[in-house]
Amino acid sequence: MLLSFKPFFIKKSPLACITALGLSLSLSGCQQANTDTQKAQQPSQAAAPMPQTQQVSTAGKPVVYQVFTRLYGNTNTTNKPWGTIADNGVGKFSDFTDTALQDIKSLGTTHVWYTGVPHHAVINDYTHIGISDDDPDVVKGRAGSPYAVKDYYNVNPDLATNPANRLAEFEALIERTHANGMQVIIDIVPNHIARNYHSVSAPKGEQDFGANDDTTQIYSKHNNFYYVIGEDFAVPDAPNGYAPLGGDANPLSDGKFTESPAKCTGNGSRLAKPDANDWYETVKINYGVKPDGSHDYPTLPAEYASKTAAEHLAFWQAQAADDIPDSWRKFERIAQYWLAKGVDGFRYDMAEMVPVEFWSYLNSHIKHTNPNAFILAEVYNPNLYRDYIHLGKMDYLYDKVDLYDSLKAIIQGKASTAVIATVQAKVSDIEQHMLHFLENHDEQRINTTDFAGNAFNALPAMVVSTTLSRSPTLLYFGQDVGEQGAQMAGFGQPTRTSIFDYVGVPAHQRWMNNGKFDGGQSTQDEKALRAYYQRLLSLSHNAPALTGDYAELDTLQRQQHTQGYDDQVFAFSRYNVEQQLIIASNFSQTEPKAFTLTLPKTLIEQWQVVENVTLMDLLAQQPYEHDLILDNNDHASVQMQLQPLQSVVLELTQKH
C-alpha cells in the first residue's frame, strides 16, 4: 500500500545500558562461530518422499533467521531515495558465503528464511535474457514487492551475479546452507500474484495462471482469476503527489496498464480501478470461492482436525478430478518443484485469505514428499488459529495479534506485564505452533522512537518471547545489532527497512564489515547487543527445559501482593526432567526491582526438590548470587534483584 512519509529521530542506545545488563563486549564467541507435470484433468498424485541428505538437529526449539535476500549482502552505503542498483547496490546469493552462513548459525539458527527469492516484478532491464519489462505503474518501489510474484519457476534476477544463471546460483545457495547445517525456507504467496505474471521458466506443459480462463465470466471454478466483466483495468489515482520511481522517466511509466477485462485485485477489491491503498500491483487468485462467499470444492469433515497429514492426503486423492480447482493444482506443483530443488519449507503470505481446505490439500502433499518440511503461515485472526493448524495442517502461525502486540505495549509503558500470562493462556493448547518474533519485514524496527526508543529497551521482551513456549523464535536480520530502518528509500516510510527499494542496512553493514562478519565496523553497543542475542538464541535452541512444560508464576506473586513485584516485572518457569529454569525479567528502563519470588508447592513437587538448591544464570553465564530456599510448607523462594532491563534465566544446578 502507499504509505505516508513522516520525519522522526532515533535516540542513541546508552552505553550505560550495557553495564546495567551485564553484557560482555567480547567477540570471541562470534569469532569462534565463524569458523513430470500433472495434467489438470488427472487426480493430483503426491510425489515420492525425498531422501533427506541434510538434517538439522530437532532436539531443541527451532530458530528462524529471516533475511531480506536483496539487502543482506549489499555493502553500498549511498542510500539515494528511489536509487537504482547502480546508485545503491544490491545483495546477491553469492554474498552468503560460508563465513556469512556460519555467522548466521552462531545465532542458534536452524532455518534460514530467504525472503524475496521467487521472481517478482522489478524495474530493471532483463530483456536480453528473455524477461519482459515490468510497468512502474503496477510495481511498488523500484526493486518491487517480493509479494507480487511474476514467475514461480525461477528466482529474482537481481539476486544473481549472472542473471541468466540465476536458478543455478540459488540452487548453489541451498547446498551451501545445508552444508553449514541449516535448512532453507522460501515464500509462497497463494492469495495473489503480480498483475503481469508470466513464467519464462515453467516446466514443459505447465501453463501460466489465467491461460485457460473463461474471461467472459466473473467467476468459474477452474478460472485462476476473478474478472470485472466489461471494464478495463485502470491505474489508481496517486495521492499526495506520489509518482512511480519518484518521478524518474521510464518508457512504461504513463499512468496506464493494459488489462482487459480487469482482474480483481489481490486484497479482494472488485473495482476495475482499485484504490491506491489496495494491493493494486497484484491480482486475486480464485480457489473455488464464489463471489457470494459460498464454495465450489469438497468440504473437509470436521473430524479431520484430529487426523494426520497422510489421512488428509488420502481424502484429497479420493476426490473426483473435476472437484479440485485448477489453482489448487498449480500451487501444489509449484511447491513440489521447490521441494525437488532442496527447499526445506515455506512461509505462506496472508494464509487466512485462502480457504483452509486448500491448505489441507497443499500441506498434506508437501508432508508426503518431506515429512520434516517446515510450514509457517501468516494468520492474524485468533479465531482461525486452530482451524489453520488442525484442519489446514500448518506447523506454525505468527503470534502477532496477542503476544507481539502485548510485548510492544509493555515496552511502551501502555500495558502491564500481567497481560503476558493472559495471552499465553489463550493459546495454551496450541502454544507450540505459535511462532514468536519482535521484528520481521512487516513490522517496525525495535530501535525507533515509534517502537522501543532504542534496541536495549526490548531485551526483556525478547527474553520472554524467546523462552515463553515451545514454539520457534524468528529473528529478522539486523535486529541483533539494533538496525534502525531510518532510510527514506523510496516507496514506503522509515521505521521499517524497505522491502520495495534498493537500500543499504547500516548497522548490519557495519557488522558485516565487507564480508568478514566480525563486527569490525560496529559500535560498542552493537557488539554488546549481538553478543546478547547470540547467548539468548543459542540458549533457546539448546536448553532442554524450553521444549518442556510452562508454569506461570506471575499470578501467584500478584495474589500474595509480593513486595517489589509490579507491572514491570514478569516471571515464569520452564522445566522437564532434564532441566528446571526460573525466568524473570524487569521491563523498567530506569528502576531496579527487588522482590522475593515464591514458587508454589506443586511445582516444587514436580521438580522433586527436597533441600536448598544453587542457581546458575545461563544468560550471564555465571552462578546466581542467591539460592533457591525451601520453607516449612514446602514452598520455595528465591531473592530477585534485577537491574533495569535485566533478565535472568536461572537453572537449578546443585541439590544439597
Side-chain angles (χ1 to χ4, degrees), residues 590-652:
T590 58
E591 298 177 1
K593 305 291 179 179
F595 56 91
T596 301
L597 182 72
T598 301
L599 281 68
K601 179 179 180 180
T602 52
L603 185 60
I604 297 303
E605 289 175 341
Q606 290 183 69
W607 289 357
Q608 298 181 347
V609 174
V610 294
E611 294 186 25
N612 297 343
V613 173
T614 58
L615 300 169
M616 170 67 74
D617 185 350
L618 300 183
L619 266 182
Q621 299 177 337
Q622 63 185 22
Y624 190 61
E625 59 183 320
H626 300 289
D627 292 348
L628 182 70
I629 306 298
L630 286 176
D631 66 19
N632 293 331
N633 296 316
D634 292 330
H635 288 72
S637 64
V638 59
Q639 292 298 121
M640 290 289 178
Q641 293 179 321
L642 300 177
Q643 296 303 311
L645 300 176
Q646 184 182 8
S647 296
V648 293
V649 179
L650 306 180
E651 179 185 29
L652 280 68

Side-chain angles (χ1 to χ4, degrees), residues 6 40 50 60 79 93 128 136 146 168 175-177 188 234 275 310 321 330 347 418 432 517 535 553 625 638:
K6 59 180 180 179
M50 293 171 56
N79 289 337
F93 294 133
H128 62 288
E175 292 179 3
R176 283 200 305 280
T177 306
I188 290 184
D275 184 83
K330 278 186 164 64
R347 180 266 186 187
Q432 70 270 31
F517 294 92
R535 290 200 301 273
L553 302 176
E625 59 183 320
V638 59

Side-chain angles (χ1 to χ4, degrees), residues 465-540:
S465 177
T466 301
T467 60
L468 188 64
S469 77
R470 293 177 290 164
S471 64
T473 299
L474 183 147
L475 180 73
Y476 192 38
F477 89 111
Q479 176 183 343
D480 52 302
V481 287
E483 173 56 37
Q484 296 178 337
Q487 291 69 43
M488 189 75 74
F491 189 92
Q493 65 185 18
T495 77
R496 295 167 177 83
T497 296
S498 176
I499 66 170
F500 304 108
D501 287 283
Y502 303 111
V503 69
V505 184
H508 170 69
Q509 289 175 322
R510 290 191 289 271
W511 176 263
M512 186 167 55
N513 192 23
N514 295 310
K516 296 178 183 177
F517 294 92
D518 59 1
Q521 300 175 34
S522 298
T523 67
Q524 293 294 94
D525 277 12
E526 290 166 352
K527 293 175 184 179
L529 190 69
R530 184 53 150 62
Y532 191 94
Y533 271 93
Q534 280 187 312
R535 290 200 301 273
L536 175 61
L537 290 168
S538 295
L539 172 64
S540 168

Side-chain angles (χ1 to χ4, degrees), residues 20-96:
L21 290 169
L23 302 184
S24 168
L25 296 180
S26 171
L27 293 181
S28 59
C30 312
Q31 293 164 342
Q32 184 177 358
N34 284 337
T35 43
D36 108 76
T37 301
Q38 299 170 308
K39 296 182 180 179
Q41 67 270 23
Q42 296 297 322
S44 179
Q45 299 296 317
M50 293 171 56
Q52 297 300 301
T53 57
Q54 175 69 31
Q55 293 292 331
V56 170
S57 171
T58 57
K61 281 160 47 93
V63 175
V64 180
Y65 184 88
Q66 183 193 5
V67 55
F68 204 84
T69 314
R70 90 160 78 97
L71 303 183
Y72 179 84
N74 183 20
T75 58
N76 188 310
T77 60
T78 303
N79 289 337
K80 173 184 175 183
W82 293 100
T84 65
I85 288 179
D87 294 324
N88 290 347
V90 67
K92 304 290 185 179
F93 294 133
S94 58
D95 293 322
F96 293 89

Side-chain angles (χ1 to χ4, degrees), residues 561-569 586 592-596 640:
H561 305 290
T562 298
Q563 185 176 359
Y565 190 99
D566 60 21
D567 287 341
Q568 294 181 307
V569 176
N586 176 12
K593 305 291 179 179
F595 56 91
T596 301
M640 290 289 178

